[in-house]
Amino acid sequence: AENPVKMNTFLIWTNGTVSDFELRCSFKLTPNNDQRFANSGIQYRSKVVDPANWVVGGYQADMEAGPNYTGILYEERFRGILALRGEKVVWSSDDKKQVVGSVGDAAEIEAALKKDGWNDYVIIAEGNHLQQFINGKQTVDFTDDCVSKRALSGIIALQMHVGQPFTAQFKDIRIKKLKP
């Protein structure tokens, strides 16, 4: 509390970039504050936008201690929320969001989250098609047809969000390339 971060910062994986891949990990968020705030995310196909401060921008598999954002697809520093929990989205070539279906009920996906325990996140990125799953439930299905803004490769990073004190833990992080 006496030494807060001034902007979102990231732990950046420095062993290269990924394009088509499957990432698996477990995460646990613990709010260490009266507001019950905790927010983090897994950046993928991202790019470093401020190397001096370890800041990245790009696709983010979001997570939080609250009821709204865990499982959504967010684009840090760029387009913002791309797909809410339960949405199947096509982002058009003219940069517009089109909800074209559902992968499940947002409340049912939320109910499967272990608020004070470990949760399993899976991210699958193939071409312009992105899918995210938590605890075996698909949270979003996203197709990015906006050639001028999409990312087909980039870095992986873990987010430390500004705000009240909290703990974000990750374990068993595994990445499998889907194409050579």
Side-chain angles (χ1 to χ4, degrees):
E2 48 284 335
N3 189 22
V5 294
K6 304 205 179 347
M7 67 179 86
N8 293 349
T9 189
F10 301 82
L11 178 62
I12 302 170
W13 181 58
T14 58
N15 287 344
T17 60
V18 294
S19 52
D20 291 351
F21 68 92
E22 179 179 304
L23 182 146
R24 292 178 176 270
C25 72
S26 296
F27 74 92
K28 181 179 180 182
L29 293 177
T30 306
N32 304 323
N33 57 77
D34 294 338
Q35 288 78 30
R36 301 281 306 152
F37 172 84
N39 185 302
S40 187
I42 302 164
Q43 294 291 137
Y44 61 98
R45 289 187 174 175
S46 294
K47 61 185 174 184
V48 177
V49 295
D50 180 356
N53 292 299
W54 300 92
V55 177
V56 306
Y59 299 127
Q60 181 187 107
D62 209 345
M63 59 190 74
E64 63 152 352
N68 300 308
Y69 301 113
T70 300
I72 74 164
L73 176 59
Y74 181 74
E75 192 176 33
E76 180 83 12
R77 299 276 171 162
F78 302 115
R79 293 178 282 183
I81 295 174
L82 298 175
L84 295 172
R85 194 169 42 226
E87 288 184 337
K88 182 173 185 174
V89 170
V90 172
W91 203 276
S92 70
S93 59
D94 59 346
D95 200 25
K96 292 188 175 41
K97 177 181 178 177
Q98 301 169 332
V99 178
V100 297
S102 172
V103 297
D105 179 71
E108 288 177 17
I109 297 167
E110 170 77 15
L113 299 174
K114 302 169 191 164
K115 293 295 185 180
D116 296 315
W118 288 96
N119 293 276
D120 297 320
Y121 226 134
V122 175
I123 301 164
I124 300 172
E126 290 185 273
N128 65 338
H129 186 215
L130 311 175
Q131 298 177 84
Q132 296 175 184
F133 304 80
I134 298 179
N135 298 332
K137 292 195 175 286
Q138 188 166 11
T139 63
V140 296
D141 185 299
F142 182 79
T143 301
D144 199 343
D145 285 337
C146 187
V147 174
S148 65
K149 295 189 178 179
R150 72 182 179 203
L152 297 177
S153 67
I155 62 166
I156 302 285
L158 304 175
Q159 182 190 52
M160 184 165 101
H161 202 284
V162 297
Q164 299 293 317
F166 67 92
T167 303
Q169 295 174 281
F170 298 88
K171 68 178 183 177
D172 302 327
I173 303 170
R174 302 164 319 275
I175 299 171
K176 177 174 77 172
K177 289 183 181 181
L178 297 180
K179 294 179 184 171

